[in-house]
Amino acid sequence: MGLVLAGCGASDRPRPAGSAVAEDTPSIGADSVTVAASPDSVRDRFVQHGLRPIGSSRREIIASLGEPDSIQAEPVANRYVPGQTDTIFELSYDGLTATIYHVSGGRDILSEVVVSDNRHLRDPAVRIGMPWPEVRRRLGEPWDASDSTFTYQCLSCMGADAPVNIYVRDGVVTAIEFAYYVD
């Protein structure tokens, strides 16, 4: 079982016109997010830094957010080690659910975080309750879409894909999923 994390930084790969990579993303007012920034740079920043840091293991997440409202565990067969059973943990909090892949006898690997409350978001480019047309204006067109799920990826990032799925119901954002590469 290995882990590849998407990383951002300088690369030889050309960036889309008008895009930029922020070294650090401070919390700023929602109205100032897109005034001078292109949708490419806003999108990439949100995909990379939209979630408030919570940690990447059960221990770190509990230290950051406190005891979860509930924890569910599901055993799963390891894809690479015959006979090894790993565990998928789901830690549920008010407005946030973190899913962690735990390698038997090894470490925790954060695989996704679903947010349904703005207090868990760091970058104000997209907010729970925001109208979908405003999200499109700020982030540009999604990389992939269904009737209610819109996927964005960081185009200036190097490494494995770590997409963000934005869930929309009745024309407004209801949840945002930050996915991480786990293999």
Side-chain angles (χ1 to χ4, degrees):
M1 178 64 118
L3 169 68
V4 176
L5 297 175
C8 285
S11 82
D12 294 332
R13 187 169 72 184
R15 293 188 183 157
S19 68
V21 177
E23 292 301 317
D24 190 15
T25 305
S27 291
I28 56 178
D31 292 339
S32 64
V33 169
T34 59
V35 172
S38 72
D40 289 345
S41 64
V42 173
R43 177 206 54 237
D44 287 0
R45 187 184 66 230
F46 185 76
V47 169
Q48 295 171 289
H49 305 290
L51 179 67
R52 286 196 183 282
I54 61 169
S56 59
S57 68
R58 286 174 292 160
R59 181 182 311 149
E60 290 172 353
I61 292 169
I62 291 170
S64 174
L65 300 176
E67 287 297 323
D69 297 333
S70 68
I71 299 176
Q72 295 190 14
E74 177 185 343
V76 294
N78 184 293
R79 294 185 343 190
Y80 301 105
V81 180
Q84 178 174 313
T85 301
D86 298 331
T87 306
I88 295 176
F89 289 96
E90 189 175 277
L91 284 67
S92 296
Y93 293 88
D94 183 30
L96 182 144
T97 301
T99 304
I100 296 165
Y101 189 97
H102 176 75
V103 179
S104 182
R107 61 190 173 121
D108 288 348
I109 304 168
L110 183 65
S111 63
E112 72 180 30
V113 176
V114 178
V115 174
S116 60
D117 188 302
N118 288 325
R119 72 176 180 260
H120 300 294
L121 297 173
R122 173 169 57 178
D123 187 317
V126 180
R127 308 306 284 170
I128 305 301
M130 180 179 279
W132 169 242
E134 179 64 14
V135 173
R136 275 186 43 202
R137 185 183 74 75
R138 291 180 179 203
L139 301 185
E141 293 300 316
W143 179 77
D144 194 19
S146 72
D147 289 340
S148 61
T149 305
F150 301 90
T151 302
Y152 287 91
Q153 292 183 320
C154 178
L155 298 181
S156 66
C157 296
M158 296 173 42
D161 291 337
V164 168
N165 293 308
I166 298 176
Y167 298 95
V168 174
R169 186 174 56 220
D170 298 327
V172 298
V173 175
T174 58
I176 303 168
E177 173 188 14
F178 295 86
Y180 305 95
Y181 182 79
V182 176
D183 186 27

